[in-house]
Amino acid sequence: HDALDSLNALVREGDLTRWNPKSADAQLAPLLQGFGMVIDTLRTFVREINEAALRLSSSSNQVLAASTQYESSSTEQAAAIHETTATM
């Protein structure tokens, strides 16, 4: 059965892109359809997790940029204060 071989490969390798639910065996059809629904749900989870990771990475980069900017501003202010107090 091609569908069962495909399911075994999917479980063994963890590759959700290789799922093929086609089978000539009518008795297997409901089972394979159910596995197909589970696999679609897993694909959705993986896609949503990837999207969330990208958003988190983008937010982290924005926080890092803001932090670097504040550090630079603080350093400039400290230098200006030092220069001001040195001239007094």
Side-chain angles (χ1 to χ4, degrees):
H1 298 129
D2 290 338
L4 287 178
D5 292 341
S6 177
L7 180 60
N8 283 331
L10 180 135
V11 170
R12 194 173 45 252
E13 299 167 14
D15 184 359
L16 298 180
T17 62
R18 296 184 49 192
W19 172 241
N20 177 13
K22 306 291 185 223
S23 175
D25 189 339
Q27 291 179 333
L28 286 177
L31 177 65
L32 296 175
Q33 183 180 11
F35 277 122
M37 293 171 66
V38 169
I39 289 168
D40 286 343
T41 300
L42 290 173
R43 285 180 180 151
T44 300
F45 287 160
V46 168
R47 185 180 64 250
E48 289 174 355
I49 289 168
N50 284 334
E51 290 170 358
L54 288 174
R55 286 192 303 271
L56 180 60
S57 176
S58 176
S59 296
S60 296
N61 287 334
Q62 290 174 356
V63 168
L64 177 61
S67 176
T68 302
Q69 183 179 5
Y70 290 136
E71 178 187 14
S72 177
S73 295
S74 296
T75 302
E76 290 173 10
Q77 287 177 352
I81 292 169
H82 184 274
E83 186 177 319
T84 301
T85 57
T87 58
M88 290 184 166

Coordinates of all heavy atoms in Angstrom, one line a residue:
H1 N 0.8 -1.2 0.0 CA 0.0 0.0 0.0 C 0.9 1.2 0.0 O 1.7 1.5 0.9 CB -0.9 0.0 1.2 CG -1.9 -1.1 1.3 ND1 -2.0 -1.9 2.4 CD2 -2.7 -1.6 0.4 CE1 -2.9 -2.8 2.2 NE2 -3.4 -2.7 0.9
D2 N 0.7 2.1 -1.0 CA 1.5 3.3 -1.1 C 1.2 4.2 0.0 O 2.1 4.9 0.6 CB 1.2 4.0 -2.4 CG 1.7 3.3 -3.6 OD1 2.6 2.5 -3.5 OD2 1.2 3.5 -4.8
A3 N 0.0 4.3 0.5 CA -0.4 5.3 1.5 C 0.3 4.8 2.9 O 0.8 5.7 3.6 CB -1.9 5.4 1.7
L4 N 0.2 3.5 3.1 CA 0.9 3.1 4.4 C 2.4 3.2 4.3 O 3.0 3.6 5.3 CB 0.5 1.6 4.6 CG -0.9 1.3 5.1 CD1 -1.2 -0.1 5.3 CD2 -1.2 2.1 6.4
D5 N 3.0 3.0 3.2 CA 4.4 3.2 3.0 C 4.7 4.7 3.2 O 5.7 5.1 3.9 CB 4.9 2.8 1.6 CG 4.8 1.3 1.4 OD1 4.8 0.6 2.5 OD2 4.8 0.8 0.3
S6 N 3.9 5.6 2.7 CA 4.1 7.0 2.9 C 3.9 7.4 4.3 O 4.7 8.2 4.8 CB 3.0 7.8 2.0 OG 3.1 9.1 2.2
L7 N 3.0 6.8 5.0 CA 2.8 7.1 6.4 C 4.0 6.6 7.3 O 4.5 7.3 8.1 CB 1.5 6.4 6.9 CG 1.1 6.6 8.4 CD1 1.0 8.1 8.7 CD2 -0.1 5.9 8.8
N8 N 4.5 5.4 7.0 CA 5.6 4.9 7.7 C 6.8 5.8 7.4 O 7.6 6.1 8.4 CB 6.0 3.5 7.2 CG 5.1 2.4 7.8 OD1 4.6 2.6 8.9 ND2 4.8 1.3 7.1
A9 N 7.1 6.3 6.2 CA 8.2 7.2 5.9 C 8.0 8.5 6.7 O 9.0 9.0 7.2 CB 8.3 7.4 4.4
L10 N 6.8 9.0 6.7 CA 6.5 10.2 7.4 C 6.9 10.1 8.9 O 7.5 11.0 9.4 CB 5.0 10.6 7.2 CG 4.6 11.9 7.9 CD1 3.8 12.7 7.0 CD2 3.8 11.6 9.2
V11 N 6.4 9.0 9.5 CA 6.7 8.8 10.9 C 8.2 8.6 11.2 O 8.8 9.2 12.1 CB 5.9 7.6 11.5 CG1 6.3 7.2 12.9 CG2 4.4 7.9 11.5
R12 N 8.8 7.8 10.3 CA 10.2 7.5 10.5 C 11.1 8.8 10.3 O 12.1 9.0 11.0 CB 10.6 6.4 9.5 CG 11.9 5.8 9.7 CD 12.2 4.5 8.8 NE 11.8 4.8 7.4 CZ 10.7 4.2 6.8 NH1 9.9 3.4 7.5 NH2 10.5 4.5 5.5
E13 N 10.8 9.6 9.2 CA 11.6 10.7 8.9 C 11.1 12.1 9.4 O 11.9 13.0 9.4 CB 11.8 10.7 7.3 CG 12.4 9.5 6.8 CD 12.3 9.4 5.3 OE1 11.9 10.4 4.6 OE2 12.5 8.3 4.8
G14 N 9.9 12.1 9.8 CA 9.3 13.4 10.2 C 9.1 14.4 9.2 O 9.0 15.6 9.4
D15 N 9.0 14.0 7.9 CA 8.8 14.9 6.8 C 7.4 15.0 6.4 O 6.8 14.1 5.7 CB 9.7 14.4 5.6 CG 9.7 15.4 4.4 OD1 9.0 16.5 4.5 OD2 10.3 15.1 3.4
L16 N 6.7 16.1 6.8 CA 5.2 16.2 6.6 C 4.9 16.5 5.1 O 3.8 16.4 4.7 CB 4.6 17.3 7.4 CG 4.7 17.1 8.9 CD1 4.1 18.2 9.7 CD2 4.0 15.8 9.4
T17 N 5.9 16.8 4.3 CA 5.6 17.2 2.9 C 5.5 16.0 2.0 O 5.0 16.0 0.9 CB 6.8 18.0 2.3 OG1 8.0 17.2 2.4 CG2 7.0 19.3 3.1
R18 N 5.8 14.8 2.5 CA 5.8 13.6 1.7 C 4.5 12.8 1.9 O 4.4 11.6 1.4 CB 7.0 12.7 2.1 CG 8.3 13.4 1.7 CD 9.5 12.5 1.9 NE 9.3 11.2 1.3 CZ 10.0 10.1 1.6 NH1 11.0 10.2 2.3 NH2 9.7 9.0 1.0
W19 N 3.5 13.3 2.6 CA 2.3 12.5 2.9 C 1.5 12.3 1.6 O 1.2 13.3 0.9 CB 1.5 13.2 3.9 CG 0.1 12.6 4.1 CD1 -1.1 13.3 3.9 CD2 -0.2 11.3 4.6 NE1 -2.1 12.4 4.2 CE2 -1.6 11.2 4.6 CE3 0.6 10.2 4.9 CZ2 -2.2 10.0 5.0 CZ3 -0.1 9.0 5.3 CH2 -1.5 9.0 5.3
N20 N 1.1 11.1 1.3 CA 0.3 10.8 0.2 C -0.8 9.8 0.6 O -0.6 8.7 0.9 CB 1.2 10.0 -0.9 CG 0.4 9.6 -2.1 OD1 -0.8 10.0 -2.2 ND2 0.9 8.7 -2.9
P21 N -2.0 10.4 0.8 CA -3.1 9.6 1.3 C -3.8 8.6 0.4 O -4.8 8.0 0.7 CB -4.1 10.7 1.8 CG -3.9 11.8 0.9 CD -2.4 11.8 0.6
K22 N -3.3 8.6 -0.9 CA -4.0 7.7 -1.9 C -3.8 6.3 -1.6 O -2.7 5.8 -1.4 CB -3.5 8.1 -3.3 CG -3.5 9.6 -3.6 CD -5.0 10.0 -3.8 CE -5.0 11.4 -4.3 NZ -5.9 12.3 -3.7
S23 N -4.9 5.5 -1.7 CA -4.8 4.1 -1.5 C -6.0 3.4 -2.3 O -7.1 4.0 -2.3 CB -4.9 3.7 0.0 OG -5.0 2.3 0.1
A24 N -5.7 2.3 -2.9 CA -6.8 1.6 -3.6 C -7.6 0.8 -2.6 O -8.7 0.3 -2.9 CB -6.1 0.6 -4.6
D25 N -7.2 0.7 -1.3 CA -7.9 -0.1 -0.3 C -9.0 0.8 0.3 O -8.7 1.7 1.1 CB -6.9 -0.6 0.7 CG -7.5 -1.6 1.7 OD1 -8.8 -1.6 1.8 OD2 -6.7 -2.3 2.3
A26 N -10.2 0.5 0.0 CA -11.4 1.3 0.6 C -11.4 1.2 2.1 O -11.9 2.1 2.7 CB -12.7 0.8 -0.1
Q27 N -11.0 0.1 2.7 CA -11.0 0.0 4.1 C -10.1 0.9 4.8 O -10.3 1.4 5.9 CB -10.8 -1.4 4.6 CG -11.9 -2.4 4.2 CD -11.6 -3.8 4.6 OE1 -10.4 -4.2 4.7 NE2 -12.6 -4.6 4.8
L28 N -9.0 1.3 4.1 CA -8.0 2.2 4.7 C -8.3 3.6 4.5 O -7.8 4.5 5.2 CB -6.6 1.9 4.1 CG -5.9 0.6 4.5 CD1 -4.6 0.5 3.7 CD2 -5.6 0.7 6.0
A29 N -9.2 3.9 3.6 CA -9.5 5.3 3.3 C -9.9 6.2 4.5 O -9.3 7.3 4.6 CB -10.6 5.4 2.2
P30 N -10.8 5.8 5.4 CA -11.2 6.6 6.5 C -10.0 6.8 7.5 O -9.8 7.9 7.9 CB -12.3 5.8 7.2 CG -12.8 4.9 6.2 CD -11.7 4.6 5.3
L31 N -9.2 5.8 7.7 CA -8.0 5.9 8.5 C -7.0 6.9 7.9 O -6.5 7.8 8.6 CB -7.3 4.6 8.7 CG -6.0 4.6 9.5 CD1 -6.3 5.0 11.0 CD2 -5.4 3.2 9.5
L32 N -6.8 6.8 6.6 CA -5.8 7.6 5.9 C -6.3 9.1 5.9 O -5.6 10.0 6.0 CB -5.5 7.1 4.5 CG -4.9 5.7 4.5 CD1 -4.7 5.3 3.1 CD2 -3.5 5.8 5.2
Q33 N -7.6 9.2 5.7 CA -8.2 10.6 5.8 C -8.0 11.2 7.1 O -7.7 12.4 7.3 CB -9.7 10.5 5.4 CG -10.4 11.9 5.4 CD -11.8 11.8 5.0 OE1 -12.4 10.7 5.0 NE2 -12.4 12.9 4.7
G34 N -8.2 10.4 8.2 CA -8.0 10.9 9.5 C -6.5 11.3 9.8 O -6.2 12.4 10.3
F35 N -5.6 10.5 9.3 CA -4.2 10.9 9.4 C -3.9 12.1 8.6 O -3.1 13.0 9.0 CB -3.3 9.7 8.9 CG -3.0 8.7 9.9 CD1 -3.4 7.3 9.6 CD2 -2.4 8.9 11.1 CE1 -3.1 6.3 10.5 CE2 -2.2 7.9 12.0 CZ -2.5 6.6 11.7
G36 N -4.5 12.3 7.5 CA -4.4 13.5 6.6 C -4.8 14.7 7.4 O -4.1 15.8 7.3
M37 N -5.9 14.6 8.1 CA -6.4 15.8 8.9 C -5.4 16.1 10.0 O -5.1 17.3 10.3 CB -7.8 15.5 9.5 CG -8.8 15.4 8.4 SD -10.4 14.8 9.0 CE -10.9 16.1 10.0
V38 N -4.8 15.1 10.7 CA -3.8 15.3 11.7 C -2.6 16.0 11.1 O -2.0 16.9 11.7 CB -3.5 14.0 12.4 CG1 -2.3 14.1 13.3 CG2 -4.7 13.5 13.2
I39 N -2.2 15.5 10.0 CA -1.0 16.1 9.4 C -1.2 17.5 8.9 O -0.4 18.4 9.1 CB -0.6 15.2 8.2 CG1 0.0 13.9 8.7 CG2 0.4 15.9 7.3 CD1 0.2 12.8 7.7
D40 N -2.4 17.8 8.4 CA -2.7 19.2 8.1 C -2.7 20.1 9.3 O -2.2 21.2 9.3 CB -4.1 19.3 7.5 CG -4.2 18.8 6.0 OD1 -3.1 18.7 5.4 OD2 -5.3 18.5 5.5
T41 N -3.2 19.6 10.5 CA -3.1 20.3 11.7 C -1.7 20.6 12.1 O -1.3 21.7 12.6 CB -3.9 19.6 12.8 OG1 -5.3 19.5 12.4 CG2 -3.8 20.4 14.1
L42 N -0.8 19.5 12.0 CA 0.6 19.7 12.4 C 1.3 20.7 11.5 O 2.1 21.5 11.9 CB 1.3 18.3 12.3 CG 0.9 17.3 13.4 CD1 1.5 15.9 13.1 CD2 1.3 17.8 14.7
R43 N 0.9 20.6 10.2 CA 1.5 21.6 9.2 C 1.1 23.1 9.7 O 1.9 24.0 9.6 CB 1.0 21.4 7.8 CG 1.7 20.2 7.2 CD 1.1 20.0 5.8 NE 1.7 18.8 5.1 CZ 1.1 18.1 4.2 NH1 -0.1 18.4 3.8 NH2 1.8 17.1 3.7
T44 N -0.1 23.2 10.1 CA -0.6 24.5 10.5 C 0.2 25.0 11.8 O 0.6 26.1 11.8 CB -2.1 24.5 10.8 OG1 -2.8 24.2 9.6 CG2 -2.6 25.8 11.3
F45 N 0.4 24.1 12.7 CA 1.1 24.4 13.9 C 2.6 24.8 13.6 O 3.1 25.8 14.1 CB 1.2 23.2 14.9 CG -0.1 22.9 15.6 CD1 -0.3 21.6 16.2 CD2 -1.1 23.8 15.7 CE1 -1.5 21.3 16.8 CE2 -2.3 23.5 16.4 CZ -2.5 22.3 17.0
V46 N 3.2 24.0 12.7 CA 4.6 24.4 12.3 C 4.6 25.7 11.6 O 5.5 26.5 11.9 CB 5.1 23.2 11.4 CG1 6.5 23.7 10.8 CG2 5.3 22.0 12.2
R47 N 3.7 26.0 10.7 CA 3.7 27.3 10.1 C 3.5 28.4 11.1 O 4.2 29.5 11.0 CB 2.6 27.3 9.0 CG 2.6 28.6 8.2 CD 1.5 28.7 7.1 NE 0.2 28.7 7.7 CZ -0.7 27.6 7.6 NH1 -0.3 26.5 7.0 NH2 -1.9 27.7 8.2
E48 N 2.5 28.3 12.0 CA 2.3 29.3 13.0 C 3.4 29.5 13.9 O 3.8 30.6 14.3 CB 1.0 29.0 13.8 CG -0.3 29.1 13.0 CD -1.5 28.6 13.7 OE1 -1.4 28.1 14.8 OE2 -2.6 28.8 13.1
I49 N 4.1 28.4 14.3 CA 5.3 28.5 15.1 C 6.4 29.3 14.4 O 7.1 30.2 15.0 CB 5.8 27.2 15.6 CG1 4.8 26.6 16.6 CG2 7.2 27.2 16.2 CD1 5.0 25.1 17.0
N50 N 6.6 29.0 13.1 CA 7.6 29.7 12.3 C 7.3 31.2 12.2 O 8.2 32.0 12.3 CB 7.7 29.1 10.9 CG 8.5 27.8 10.9 OD1 9.3 27.5 11.8 ND2 8.2 26.9 10.0
E51 N 6.0 31.5 12.0 CA 5.6 32.9 11.9 C 5.9 33.6 13.2 O 6.3 34.7 13.3 CB 4.2 33.0 11.5 CG 3.9 32.6 10.0 CD 2.5 32.4 9.7 OE1 1.6 32.6 10.5 OE2 2.2 32.1 8.5
A52 N 5.5 33.0 14.3 CA 5.7 33.5 15.6 C 7.2 33.8 15.9 O 7.6 34.8 16.5 CB 5.1 32.7 16.7
A53 N 8.0 32.8 15.5 CA 9.5 32.9 15.7 C 10.0 34.1 14.9 O 10.9 34.8 15.4 CB 10.2 31.6 15.3
L54 N 9.5 34.3 13.7 CA 10.0 35.4 12.9 C 9.6 36.8 13.5 O 10.3 37.7 13.5 CB 9.4 35.3 11.5 CG 10.0 34.3 10.6 CD1 9.3 34.2 9.2 CD2 11.5 34.5 10.3
R55 N 8.3 36.8 14.0 CA 7.9 38.0 14.7 C 8.7 38.3 16.0 O 9.1 39.4 16.2 CB 6.4 37.9 15.1 CG 5.5 38.1 13.9 CD 4.0 38.3 14.3 NE 3.5 37.2 15.2 CZ 2.9 36.1 14.7 NH1 2.8 35.9 13.4 NH2 2.5 35.2 15.6
L56 N 9.0 37.3 16.7 CA 9.8 37.4 17.9 C 11.2 37.9 17.5 O 11.8 38.8 18.2 CB 9.9 36.1 18.7 CG 10.8 36.1 19.9 CD1 10.2 37.1 20.9 CD2 10.8 34.7 20.5
S57 N 11.8 37.3 16.5 CA 13.1 37.8 16.0 C 13.1 39.2 15.6 O 14.0 40.0 16.0 CB 13.6 36.9 14.9 OG 14.8 37.3 14.4
S58 N 12.1 39.6 14.9 CA 12.0 41.0 14.5 C 11.9 41.9 15.7 O 12.5 43.0 15.8 CB 10.8 41.2 13.6 OG 10.6 42.5 13.2
S59 N 11.0 41.6 16.7 CA 10.9 42.4 17.9 C 12.2 42.4 18.6 O 12.5 43.5 19.2 CB 9.8 41.8 18.8 OG 8.5 41.8 18.1
S60 N 12.9 41.3 18.7 CA 14.2 41.3 19.4 C 15.2 42.3 18.8 O 15.9 43.0 19.4 CB 14.8 39.9 19.4 OG 14.0 39.0 20.2
N61 N 15.2 42.3 17.4 CA 16.1 43.2 16.7 C 15.7 44.6 17.0 O 16.6 45.5 17.1 CB 16.0 42.9 15.2 CG 16.8 41.6 14.9 OD1 17.7 41.2 15.6 ND2 16.4 41.0 13.8
Q62 N 14.4 44.9 17.1 CA 14.0 46.3 17.4 C 14.4 46.7 18.8 O 14.8 47.8 19.0 CB 12.4 46.4 17.2 CG 12.0 46.3 15.8 CD 10.5 46.3 15.6 OE1 9.8 46.3 16.6 NE2 10.0 46.3 14.4
V63 N 14.3 45.8 19.7 CA 14.7 46.1 21.1 C 16.2 46.3 21.1 O 16.7 47.3 21.8 CB 14.2 45.0 22.1 CG1 14.9 45.1 23.4 CG2 12.7 44.9 22.2
L64 N 16.9 45.5 20.4 CA 18.4 45.7 20.4 C 18.8 47.0 19.8 O 19.6 47.7 20.3 CB 19.0 44.5 19.6 CG 20.5 44.6 19.4 CD1 21.3 44.6 20.7 CD2 21.0 43.5 18.5
A65 N 18.1 47.4 18.7 CA 18.4 48.7 18.1 C 18.1 49.8 19.0 O 18.9 50.8 19.1 CB 17.6 48.8 16.8
A66 N 16.9 49.8 19.7 CA 16.6 50.8 20.6 C 17.6 50.9 21.8 O 18.0 52.0 22.2 CB 15.2 50.6 21.2
S67 N 18.0 49.7 22.3 CA 18.9 49.7 23.4 C 20.3 50.2 23.0 O 20.9 51.0 23.7 CB 19.1 48.2 23.8 OG 20.1 48.1 24.8
T68 N 20.7 49.9 21.8 CA 22.0 50.5 21.3 C 21.9 52.0 21.1 O 22.8 52.7 21.4 CB 22.3 49.8 19.9 OG1 22.4 48.4 20.1 CG2 23.6 50.3 19.3
Q69 N 20.7 52.5 20.7 CA 20.6 53.9 20.5 C 20.6 54.6 21.9 O 21.2 55.6 22.0 CB 19.2 54.2 19.8 CG 19.0 55.7 19.5 CD 17.7 55.9 18.8 OE1 16.9 55.0 18.6 NE2 17.5 57.1 18.4
Y70 N 19.9 54.0 22.9 CA 19.9 54.6 24.2 C 21.3 54.6 24.8 O 21.7 55.5 25.5 CB 18.9 53.9 25.1 CG 17.5 54.1 24.8 CD1 16.6 53.0 24.8 CD2 17.0 55.4 24.5 CE1 15.3 53.2 24.4 CE2 15.7 55.6 24.2 CZ 14.8 54.5 24.1 OH 13.5 54.7 23.8
E71 N 22.0 53.5 24.6 CA 23.4 53.4 25.1 C 24.3 54.5 24.5 O 25.0 55.2 25.2 CB 24.0 52.1 24.8 CG 25.5 51.9 25.2 CD 26.1 50.6 24.8 OE1 25.6 50.0 23.9 OE2 27.2 50.3 25.3
S72 N 24.1 54.7 23.2 CA 24.9 55.8 22.5 C 24.5 57.1 23.0 O 25.4 58.0 23.3 CB 24.6 55.7 21.0 OG 25.3 56.7 20.3
S73 N 23.2 57.4 23.2 CA 22.8 58.7 23.8 C 23.3 58.9 25.2 O 23.8 60.0 25.5 CB 21.2 58.7 23.8 OG 20.7 58.7 22.5
S74 N 23.3 57.9 26.0 CA 23.8 57.9 27.4 C 25.3 58.3 27.4 O 25.7 59.1 28.2 CB 23.5 56.6 28.1 OG 22.1 56.4 28.2
T75 N 26.0 57.6 26.5 CA 27.4 57.8 26.4 C 27.7 59.3 26.0 O 28.6 59.9 26.6 CB 28.1 56.8 25.4 OG1 27.8 55.5 25.8 CG2 29.6 57.1 25.3
E76 N 27.0 59.8 25.0 CA 27.1 61.2 24.6 C 26.8 62.1 25.7 O 27.5 63.1 25.9 CB 26.3 61.4 23.4 CG 26.7 60.7 22.1 CD 25.7 60.9 20.9 OE1 24.8 61.7 21.0 OE2 25.9 60.2 19.9
Q77 N 25.7 61.9 26.5 CA 25.3 62.7 27.6 C 26.4 62.7 28.7 O 26.7 63.8 29.2 CB 24.0 62.3 28.1 CG 22.8 62.7 27.2 CD 21.5 62.2 27.8 OE1 21.4 61.4 28.8 NE2 20.4 62.6 27.1
A78 N 26.9 61.5 28.9 CA 28.0 61.4 30.0 C 29.2 62.2 29.5 O 29.8 62.9 30.4 CB 28.3 60.0 30.2
A79 N 29.6 62.1 28.3 CA 30.7 62.9 27.8 C 30.5 64.4 27.9 O 31.4 65.2 28.2 CB 31.0 62.5 26.3
A80 N 29.2 64.8 27.5 CA 28.9 66.2 27.6 C 28.9 66.7 29.0 O 29.4 67.8 29.3 CB 27.5 66.5 27.0
I81 N 28.4 65.9 29.9 CA 28.4 66.3 31.4 C 29.9 66.4 31.9 O 30.3 67.3 32.5 CB 27.6 65.3 32.2 CG1 26.1 65.5 31.9 CG2 27.9 65.5 33.7 CD1 25.2 64.4 32.5
H82 N 30.7 65.5 31.5 CA 32.1 65.4 31.9 C 32.8 66.7 31.3 O 33.6 67.3 32.0 CB 32.8 64.2 31.4 CG 34.2 64.0 31.8 ND1 35.2 64.6 31.1 CD2 34.7 63.4 32.9 CE1 36.4 64.3 31.8 NE2 36.1 63.6 32.8
E83 N 32.5 67.0 30.1 CA 33.2 68.2 29.5 C 32.7 69.4 30.2 O 33.5 70.4 30.4 CB 32.8 68.2 28.0 CG 33.5 69.3 27.2 CD 33.2 69.3 25.7 OE1 33.1 68.2 25.2 OE2 33.0 70.3 25.2
T84 N 31.4 69.5 30.5 CA 30.9 70.7 31.2 C 31.5 70.9 32.5 O 31.9 72.0 32.9 CB 29.4 70.6 31.3 OG1 28.8 70.5 30.0 CG2 28.8 71.8 32.0
T85 N 31.6 69.8 33.3 CA 32.2 69.9 34.7 C 33.7 70.1 34.6 O 34.2 70.8 35.5 CB 31.9 68.6 35.5 OG1 32.4 67.5 34.8 CG2 30.4 68.5 35.7
A86 N 34.3 69.7 33.6 CA 35.8 69.9 33.4 C 36.1 71.4 33.1 O 37.1 71.9 33.5 CB 36.3 69.0 32.4
T87 N 35.2 72.1 32.5 CA 35.4 73.5 32.1 C 35.0 74.4 33.3 O 35.3 75.6 33.2 CB 34.7 73.9 30.8 OG1 33.3 73.6 31.0 CG2 35.2 73.1 29.7
M88 N 34.4 73.9 34.3 CA 34.0 74.8 35.4 C 35.1 75.0 36.4 O 35.9 74.5 36.8 CB 32.8 74.2 36.1 CG 31.6 74.2 35.3 SD 30.2 73.6 36.3 CE 28.9 74.1 35.3

